[in-house]
Amino acid sequence: MHQSTIDICTRMDNAERNFIESLSLLGSIDEDKAVKVMNFYLHHKLAKLDWRIGKISVVHGGFLERAVIRRALKQAEA
């Protein structure tokens, strides 16, 4: 495997871990639930993974509010 491929995979992994940590802190939820919210956001294109820089960003800052994260969790668990 080329080093550049390894670097991309590392950036993607770091982006996911950082986003999960942010959702966990901002939403006051545990990491398992934050993973569900992250997957919900990515699936519904409310967040976007930029693998070149290793960052997941939401399309609007409102998606990082506690109440919105908890509503997304309810939708993800439904």
Side-chain angles (χ1 to χ4, degrees):
M1 192 179 286
H2 293 5
Q3 184 60 39
S4 59
T5 305
I6 294 170
D7 292 343
I8 290 170
C9 291
T10 301
R11 285 193 295 268
M12 289 173 61
D13 187 49
N14 289 340
E16 288 181 353
R17 271 195 262 126
N18 290 337
F19 194 64
I20 290 167
E21 183 180 341
S22 295
L23 288 173
S24 181
L25 289 172
L26 294 170
S28 299
I29 56 177
D30 62 31
E31 287 191 9
D32 292 334
K33 292 178 180 178
V35 170
K36 291 179 183 179
V37 174
M38 178 190 70
N39 291 332
F40 181 83
Y41 280 4
L42 291 171
H43 178 75
H44 293 286
K45 298 185 180 181
L46 303 173
K48 185 172 103 172
L49 169 63
D50 187 346
W51 53 268
R52 291 177 303 254
I53 61 172
K55 182 178 177 183
I56 296 178
S57 56
V58 292
V59 296
H60 189 279
F63 291 115
L64 296 177
E65 292 180 8
R66 179 174 295 155
V68 177
I69 291 171
R70 289 181 179 237
R71 278 196 303 258
L73 177 60
K74 286 181 185 177
Q75 290 292 317
E77 291 179 333

